[in-house]
Amino acid sequence: MTTTKPAVSFLGLGEMGSALAGALLRAGHPTTVWNRSAAKAAAHLDAGATVATTAADAVEAELIVVCLFDHASVHEVLDPIADRLTGRRLLNLTTTSPDGARELARWSAAIGAEYLDGGIMATPEMIGTPQAGVLYSGSRQLYDDLRSVFATWGTTEYFGDDAGMASLYDLALLSSMYVMFAGFFHGAAMVGAAGVPAKEFATRAAGWLRTVVPAITEYAEVIDGGDYSVPGQQSLEFSDISDIVDASRAQGISTELVDVVQRLIHRQIDAGHGTDGVARVIESIRHPEAAA
Ligand code: NAP
């Protein structure tokens, strides 16, 4: 049967690469797969994949998707086959730093390949569902031409021709998530020291976080407006978290996490901004060595 769907090759079939390749195979794309450990590639044979025995043999397709462990492994796989990549279109879905993505974009340009970087906001099980999203940056032409392929995995969003931007957004969103989860772990340890099961606390914390999270939109308006003294905000002085620090210590748990938050708040109070809104904490983060 002939197909008009673009042919796609995958370099890297770990948990994520396998999920991405599987979704394209189910959608009817001619799909070639290569993985360092051959067994993971062979697992896609029954689904109709062409299995390449070397990375060099896997790069004839319209789109080459790279989903390896890290930036170094991308170079380890691509450098030896650089001459085969001239004129090819690369989508790198390996998590890299923003500068790592920019370096790969320059490397690709130098060998005459087109480069698009992607930040996957999903777990492998979510790929192919509306809950999955991938952030893209780099070649606009590549993004526009093959967007229908990317839509197979989930929602798509393009963040400009600076190849590092998808990674920057990815890591910024993950930083929000990790710090929020750390807050949950801290709260669970506080009540846990009084014998409360984490599961019991989790149901309350989930409801509480759902209630308070919409406040970030108001904080964002203040930050973008640049005036932290706008009336009606919770002030920095009111946001002092000494009670939380003291209660944590009294429960016999670490105060490291809440100490950090308290320090960020107090750097602004100490600089004379105590009556400003709590969103001013971003200034402590923006200027790590400054007092204001
Ligand atoms: P994984 O299951 O650990 O797979 C890693 C893949 O990289 C395997 O195919 C492995 O090959 C290959 N690899 C590692 N070092 C290599 C090297 N030096 N040369 C050749 N191949 C090498 O990881 P994953 O979950 O698929 O993640 C892949 C990428 O997606 C990572 O950058 C990760 O951050 C990103 N990501 C993952 C998730 C997730 O939830 N899993 C979510 C978002 C983003 P072998 O099979 O031979 O070891």
Side-chain angles (χ1 to χ4, degrees):
M1 191 183 84
T2 54
T3 175
T4 53
K5 294 200 172 180
V8 182
S9 281
F10 282 84
L11 302 179
L13 297 161
E15 296 288 324
M16 186 52 85
S18 287
L20 297 165
L24 291 196
L25 281 162
R26 284 192 296 281
H29 288 269
T31 303
T32 300
V33 294
W34 172 84
N35 192 62
R36 181 179 61 178
S37 317
K40 288 182 190 165
H44 292 271
L45 263 175
D46 287 349
T50 301
V51 176
T53 48
T54 66
D57 290 339
V59 294
E60 299 294 319
E62 205 165 316
L63 175 69
I64 318 295
V65 179
V66 183
C67 190
L68 296 163
F69 182 63
D70 60 6
H71 183 256
S73 55
V74 173
H75 272 300
E76 226 168 287
V77 171
L78 297 189
D79 287 2
I81 58 168
D83 58 334
R84 303 287 296 266
L85 296 172
T86 303
R88 298 287 167 199
R89 303 186 119 179
L90 294 176
L91 168 62
N92 178 37
L93 295 176
T94 310
T95 303
T96 55
S97 65
D99 281 346
R102 291 176 186 122
E103 185 278 325
L104 284 165
R106 287 193 299 275
W107 182 88
S108 300
I111 59 163
E114 220 175 330
Y115 184 84
L116 187 65
D117 202 84
I120 304 172
M121 306 307 298
T123 57
E125 312 76 57
M126 290 160 68
I127 296 299
T129 73
Q131 283 73 46
V134 183
L135 319 176
Y136 297 90
S137 62
S139 166
R140 170 102 228 184
Q141 194 65 54
L142 202 172
Y143 177 76
D144 286 344
D145 290 352
L146 294 176
R147 194 173 172 181
S148 64
V149 177
F150 309 150
T152 311
W153 296 321
T155 60
T156 77
E157 220 175 331
Y158 179 73
F159 289 90
D161 59 6
D162 171 356
M165 283 309 285
S167 166
L168 188 62
Y169 267 95
D170 181 357
L171 298 177
L173 288 167
L174 289 176
S175 83
S176 307
M177 182 191 80
Y178 275 110
V179 176
M180 181 191 72
F181 284 161
F184 163 71
F185 298 143
H186 185 89
M190 280 179 86
V191 294
V196 178
K199 197 170 177 185
E200 196 274 344
F201 180 67
T203 22
R204 292 176 202 286
W208 170 243
L209 289 172
R210 264 196 299 277
T211 307
V212 296
V213 156
I216 63 175
T217 309
E218 290 161 35
Y219 292 150
E221 277 168 19
V222 173
I223 292 165
D224 289 341
D227 180 4
Y228 300 107
S229 66
V230 176
Q233 303 176 70
Q234 178 175 318
S235 73
L236 280 157
E237 276 160 356
F238 187 81
S239 308
D240 175 281
I241 60 167
S242 304
D243 287 347
I244 298 172
V245 175
D246 292 345
S248 301
R249 191 171 295 116
Q251 291 298 92
I253 67 165
S254 165
T255 62
E256 286 162 284
L257 182 67
V258 287
D259 283 342
V260 168
V261 179
Q262 178 76 321
R263 262 205 312 281
L264 294 171
I265 292 169
H266 270 272
R267 200 184 301 158
Q268 296 303 314
I269 295 175
D270 295 348
H273 303 298
T275 56
D276 279 359
V278 69
R280 196 181 179 102
V281 165
I282 197 171
E283 296 299 329
S284 296
I285 297 166
R286 280 173 169 165
H287 308 289
E289 284 161 19

